Amino acid sequence: MPKKQPTANKKARAAARQGGKFTRALASRENGKSRRIAVFGAGYIGLVAGACLAELGHIVVLRDVSSDRIEALSRGEVPFYEPGLAELLQGAKDRLKFTLDAGEALAGAELAYVCVDTPPGPAGDADLSRVWAVIDDVLRAPHLRAVVVKSTVPVGTGARIRQMLDAHGMAAVGYASNPEFTAEGRAVNDFMHPDRVVVGADDEDTFRLIAGLHERVDGPVVRMDVRSAELAKLTANALLMAKISFANEIATLCELTGADVQQVMRAVGMDHRLGVHYLGAGLGWGGSCFPKDSSALKQLAADTGHHLQLLSAVIEVNNLQPRRAIQRLAEEIGGFHGKRIALLGMAFKPGTDDMREAPSIVIASRLLAEGAEVHCWDPLARAAALDPWTSTTRHYTPLEALAGADAAIIVTEWPELRDMDWAQAAASMRAPVLFDGRNLLSPARMRELGFSYLAVGRP
Ligand code: UDX
């Protein structure tokens, strides 16, 4: 546990917070300068942030604990699919270095960026062990000007890090929370053209330093206190999830009343107060952020003694979506035992190879448990050599997966599925039954082609 904060440190920080004429003059010179930055964690967040910061002209040393990852990056290989990232890493390679050694990353660095993952622990809270391991390294680098946390962390984490810095005689080292709002598949674009860059910093100098790094980024830099920045990230994700789950509940109501959720949400989204985004009904959300962040926010509130009722409902609606789909399809085809089912799409969304918390995992597992033979297709997904995927058959094209199938489910709305030859698909299936879990296709057209066509919230 960090020691109690010494009074001298408080004074040093208060002096730094003053923001008088001298510090302002200094701050104005922060802009546009090339900085030396140590980035900890070469995953989706760290690698994209590191590559983008290098592209912006900074000198970046990326440190990761995985030797496979560091060796691959040093050879010029990108460890996951992210549009534009390979080009960025190549273009900025003179300003980028990869290392396993924390000391090498920190040597001469002005800033340390913490971008390690914070997966859910056994109790559902964010597991911060990787963050603390990086902070242990950072505490050996008193020459730093600031420590910046991009990882999604519970509110209060920054305050704990601040105390640790102070207790180690690093009161002059600034601290900032700089949460990342980028989405996979458009992470590079989101970093360079963000809706906002949130910087939670308690002192003006640190804020100016971080804002200066983003000078060439096309978006406003917003300053707030550290705790608010930490909560802003979790809140934004929770509200996006709430929109999706609400659309999914309305979709169920549409099924019961004969309305069409696509038309309902088109009208709703045209209201500028509500916006068109994240109103897509379907099989629900998955991925590396939403499931873990919703759980972390729920547990964070629970730890304060408050139950976030709305968020709990948002999570429950999402858990139900893939199960409802399976139930509806079972009713349509008279159960799954001995049936061949084609799963079209495995990744948690199109444009990524990420399978984390993908609805396809629940769907494939349920189908196998009901005795179905599962045939999958996905252009990118990296299916782990684990259940349920070891018990399924993977195909190179959707048509191969569909051949001889008793029914098919669109799990991920890959554009290839919109454009493929569905007449040929209908002819090659044992029975042309399609559950369109992403409302990708036109019901009228699919029925014209002879499909028994089921969708989410559409008559
Ligand atoms: C999300 C947030 O968008 C991003 O700001 C945060 O930093 C990380 O989490 P990401 O997980 O990459 O990004 O995916 P996103 O594109 O937001 O989609 C999340 C999930 O919601 C996907 O499973 C997607 O299929 C689902 N979704 C999205 C819907 O079901 N309906 C919609 O209308 C939109």
Side-chain angles (χ1 to χ4, degrees):
M1 279 300 287
K3 285 188 222 144
K4 201 166 182 301
Q5 187 179 295
T7 319
N9 290 346
K10 269 190 187 163
K11 279 187 188 156
R13 283 218 320 284
R17 267 198 297 266
Q18 293 273 308
K21 262 192 196 142
F22 173 70
T23 42
R24 263 196 216 111
L26 199 70
S28 64
R29 279 191 272 129
E30 303 288 18
N31 295 343
K33 258 188 135 178
S34 171
R35 300 282 172 202
R36 297 183 79 87
I37 305 172
V39 175
F40 289 82
Y44 276 99
I45 299 296
L47 192 54
V48 171
C52 289
L53 287 166
E55 169 69 17
L56 292 169
H58 306 292
I59 313 289
V60 176
V61 183
L62 263 151
R63 189 265 183 153
D64 200 283
V65 291
S66 158
S67 49
D68 284 354
R69 182 153 289 199
I70 291 300
E71 281 162 21
L73 285 165
S74 304
R75 285 194 303 270
E77 292 164 22
V78 185
F80 47 80
Y81 177 77
E82 187 58 48
L85 183 57
E87 293 80 352
L88 216 58
L89 289 167
Q90 175 62 25
K93 68 177 191 302
D94 296 345
R95 291 184 297 284
L96 269 169
K97 204 171 164 191
F98 306 99
T99 183
L100 285 165
D101 181 358
E104 186 185 352
L106 288 164
E110 295 164 272
L111 293 115
Y113 262 79
V114 184
C115 302
V116 289
D117 54 336
T118 52
D125 313 73
D127 172 1
L128 297 186
S129 53
R130 295 167 179 85
V131 172
W132 299 131
V134 173
I135 297 301
D136 283 345
D137 290 325
V138 160
L139 291 175
R140 288 194 282 272
H143 59 272
L144 285 169
R145 291 189 59 192
V147 177
V148 185
V149 169
K150 261 204 184 300
S151 304
T152 303
V153 293
V155 182
T157 307
R160 285 176 70 187
I161 296 174
R162 178 72 267 161
Q163 282 180 341
M164 290 163 118
L165 292 169
D166 292 349
H168 281 76
M170 292 167 70
V173 178
Y175 178 82
S177 162
N178 176 212
E180 192 50 74
F181 296 91
T182 56
E184 286 177 27
R186 38 172 212 271
V188 170
N189 187 62
D190 283 353
F191 190 100
M192 293 301 199
H193 309 278
D195 289 341
R196 74 302 205 194
V197 177
V198 170
V199 179
D202 290 334
D203 66 88
E204 181 74 15
D205 279 1
T206 303
F207 169 71
R208 295 275 179 136
L209 179 63
I210 313 300
L213 294 181
H214 294 85
E215 202 188 37
R216 285 176 47 223
V217 161
D218 167 32
V221 182
V222 184
R223 179 177 173 191
M224 60 190 67
D225 65 87
V226 172
R227 285 173 193 267
S228 301
E230 288 168 342
L231 192 54
K233 160 74 192 199
L234 290 168
T235 305
N237 274 356
L239 200 50
L240 292 170
M241 287 180 258
K243 286 186 84 175
I244 299 168
S245 280
F246 194 68
N248 280 329
E249 277 225 293
I250 296 298
T252 304
L253 187 59
C254 287
E255 284 160 23
L256 297 169
T257 57
D260 182 335
V261 74
Q262 303 276 85
Q263 296 187 38
V264 173
M265 290 308 167
R266 189 157 62 111
V268 168
M270 286 172 83
D271 186 324
H272 73 278
R273 297 168 302 174
L274 299 169
V276 292
H277 303 289
Y278 288 75
L279 291 177
L283 295 171
W285 34 268
S288 62
C289 283
F290 281 180
K292 89 172 166 67
D293 289 353
S294 53
S295 169
L297 184 57
K298 190 176 155 162
Q299 302 314 335
L300 176 71
D303 290 343
T304 68
H306 180 62
H307 173 56
L308 286 180
Q309 299 178 53
L310 203 51
L311 182 64
S312 300
V314 165
I315 296 168
E316 268 174 44
V317 170
N318 197 62
N319 291 342
L320 206 60
Q321 282 311 102
R323 290 174 185 275
R324 283 191 66 253
I326 291 296
Q327 193 190 355
R328 287 180 59 208
L329 187 57
E331 278 166 23
E332 180 73 21
I333 65 170
F336 293 116
H337 194 79
K339 304 269 171 68
R340 177 177 168 149
I341 309 295
L343 273 196
L344 303 178
M346 296 151 76
F348 82 95
K349 65 173 187 178
T352 179
D353 56 2
D354 200 339
M355 290 285 298
R356 284 176 286 179
E357 305 283 338
S360 63
I361 298 171
V362 175
I363 291 178
S365 304
R366 288 288 304 117
L367 289 171
L368 290 167
E370 295 292 327
E373 198 186 300
V374 180
H375 290 255
C376 314
W377 166 83
D378 191 288
L380 283 180
R382 283 171 291 144
L386 288 171
D387 281 340
W389 307 115
T390 44
S391 308
T392 65
T393 308
R394 179 110 180 229
H395 295 271
Y396 286 106
T397 67
L399 278 171
E400 274 171 36
L402 286 160
D406 294 287
I409 308 177
I410 295 181
V411 187
T412 316
E413 65 275 35
W414 286 104
E416 290 91 323
L417 297 175
R418 189 183 289 118
D419 304 333
M420 66 176 264
D421 185 344
W422 283 103
Q424 194 185 344
S428 75
M429 290 174 77
R430 187 147 48 195
V433 180
L434 180 66
F435 189 104
D436 182 352
R438 297 292 177 182
N439 291 342
L440 182 70
L441 306 171
S442 147
R445 188 177 150 246
M446 295 312 285
R447 289 188 185 119
E448 259 170 43
L449 293 175
F451 276 94
S452 294
Y453 175 83
L454 300 161
V456 181
R458 309 195 74 185

